[in-house]
């Protein structure tokens, strides 16, 4: 058994070295692309003054979620500024949103395909269970080896962690579409693609939005861990504070993470509820 483990470890190390030697140009392109996207989005979020962002969150929260939430969100975001963590909060928002978008680009099409293909369910469940139960630190190691330190590796690891919930719930929504609706598409002469995009996807949208919400929460769970690789933002603040035993700074950064995660959680939940209300209206 030990010999098998040693051989397996050797193959893993050799595979990483081979990729680094033979696909270095590809990974450099990926690193440059992701790094450029991160810096551009980070600059965009940092451009408006803090009070403008708070005002936007207040107005959207007032009309979409409720008055109590709007006031609470505004006060929470103001607290992030008062603690001197506004730029870190915006960098964390950049990391979470960009990583979640990358995860959804993979998860939603894959979830639709899995939902339409019954034979893939068991295989996909095993793979997704493996991804979700593997310690998140593990995903940082190949990122460091192939992409180096910085936000790019943080985006890679965060995206990978955020894929499973969106893929699962998308596939679940597709599978749970009533048979009568599927037959309706066939009865009116729809093609398979039309049935998918005009019947299955709209019907599964609430489940898909629940997956988006869970992916956002998984991304926030990875933020602190990603601080190890120099991700910047609040995760970096928590990691640095822990290393320096600055308990007050770590608590402040933790509060800012909670505030930002609650705001995005309520907004994403409301977006899914709006679609459900329209379909029932």
């Amino acid at each position: 058994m030990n010999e098998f483990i040693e051989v397996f470890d050797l193959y893993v190390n050799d595979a990483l070295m081979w990729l680094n030697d033979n696909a270095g140009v590809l990974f450099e392109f990926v690193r440059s692309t992701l790094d450029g996207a991160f810096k551009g989005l980070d600059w965009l979020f940092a451009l408006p003054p803090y009070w403008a962002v708070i005002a936007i969150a207040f107005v959207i929260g007032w009309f979409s979620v409720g008055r109590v939430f709007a006031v609470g969100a505004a006060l929470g975001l103001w607290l992030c500024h008062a603690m001197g963590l506004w730029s870190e909060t915006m960098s964390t928002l950049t990391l979470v949103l960009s990583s979640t978008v990358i995860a959804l680009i993979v998860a939603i099409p894959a979830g639709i395909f899995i939902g339409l293909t019954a034979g893939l369910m068991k295989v996909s469940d095993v793979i997704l269970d493996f991804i979700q139960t593997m310690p998140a630190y593990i995903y940082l190691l190949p990122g460091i080896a192939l992409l180096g330190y910085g936000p790019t590796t943080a985006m890679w690891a965060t995206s990978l962690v955020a894929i499973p919930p969106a893929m699962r719930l998308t596939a679940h929504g597709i599978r749970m579409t009533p048979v009568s609706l599927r037959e309706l598409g066939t009865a009116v002469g729809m093609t398979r693609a039309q049935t998918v995009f005009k019947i299955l996807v709209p019907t599964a949208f609430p489940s898909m939005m629940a997956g988006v919400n869970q992916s956002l929460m998984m991304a926030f769970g990875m933020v602190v861990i990603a601080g190890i690789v120099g991700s910047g933002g609040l995760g970096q603040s928590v990691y640095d504070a822990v290393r320096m035993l600055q308990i007050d700074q770590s608590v402040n950064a933790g509060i800012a993470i909670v505030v930002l995660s609650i705001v995005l959680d309520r907004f994403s939940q409301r977006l899914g509820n709006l679609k459900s209300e329209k379909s029932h209206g």
Side-chain angles (χ1 to χ4, degrees):
M1 188 63 182
N2 291 334
E3 293 180 358
F4 172 78
I5 295 176
E6 290 177 1
V7 172
F8 176 78
D9 292 343
L10 182 62
Y11 273 111
V12 171
N13 291 329
D14 288 345
L16 279 176
M17 293 180 63
W18 185 90
L19 285 173
N20 205 15
D21 293 338
N22 295 276
V25 175
L26 174 62
F27 287 109
E28 178 61 25
F29 172 76
V30 172
R31 188 195 67 78
S32 299
T33 302
L34 293 180
D35 191 53
F38 178 87
K39 289 180 178 178
L41 193 58
D42 192 33
W43 172 84
L44 182 63
F45 284 135
L47 187 62
Y50 77 93
W51 54 265
V53 176
I54 294 175
I56 292 171
F58 177 81
V59 171
I60 295 176
W62 183 283
F63 289 102
S64 65
V65 181
R67 299 177 182 179
V68 174
F69 168 77
V71 174
L75 290 176
L77 292 174
W78 174 84
L79 181 61
C80 294
H81 167 73
M83 293 186 297
L85 294 171
W86 185 254
S87 62
E88 289 83 356
T89 301
M90 293 297 99
S91 293
T92 300
L93 180 63
T94 300
L95 175 60
V96 169
L97 290 183
S98 58
S99 301
T100 303
V101 167
I102 293 172
L104 296 179
I105 290 174
V106 176
I108 291 180
I112 293 173
F113 182 72
I114 292 170
L116 295 172
T117 312
L120 291 178
M121 286 306 305
K122 291 183 178 180
V123 176
S124 66
D125 283 343
V126 172
I127 295 174
L128 295 178
D129 286 342
F130 178 83
I131 293 175
Q132 286 188 291
T133 55
M134 180 69 71
Y137 292 96
I138 301 299
Y139 302 127
L140 296 173
L141 300 179
I144 294 172
L146 300 173
L147 300 172
Y149 283 86
T152 304
T153 294
M155 290 173 67
W156 141 261
T158 305
S159 298
L160 189 59
V161 169
I163 285 175
M167 188 181 296
R168 284 186 191 276
L169 288 169
T170 298
H172 175 75
I174 295 296
R175 291 198 314 272
M176 293 297 103
T177 302
V179 177
S180 58
L181 290 178
R182 296 172 182 261
E183 294 175 347
L184 176 62
T186 303
V188 299
M190 287 185 178
T191 63
R192 185 171 179 81
Q194 289 175 328
T195 302
V196 170
F197 291 106
K198 292 185 178 182
I199 295 180
L200 299 183
V201 170
T203 304
F205 187 80
S207 181
M208 293 167 64
M209 284 306 304
V212 172
N213 176 267
Q214 292 302 306
S215 291
L216 282 170
M217 296 304 101
M218 293 296 293
F220 273 109
M222 190 67 187
V223 162
V224 176
I225 298 174
I228 297 174
V229 297
S231 63
L234 296 170
Q236 185 76 49
S237 298
V238 171
Y239 179 66
D240 291 341
V242 170
R243 286 194 304 111
M244 303 298 293
L245 296 179
Q246 297 174 326
I247 299 176
D248 56 335
Q249 293 300 317
S250 64
V251 171
N252 290 344
I255 292 173
I257 291 174
V258 171
V259 168
L260 192 58
S261 64
I262 290 175
V263 171
L264 289 184
D265 174 60
R266 297 300 185 271
F267 282 157
S268 62
Q269 282 187 16
R270 184 54 182 163
L271 185 59
N273 292 336
L274 284 175
K275 181 65 177 180
S276 299
E277 290 171 4
K278 288 181 179 179
S279 62
H280 288 90

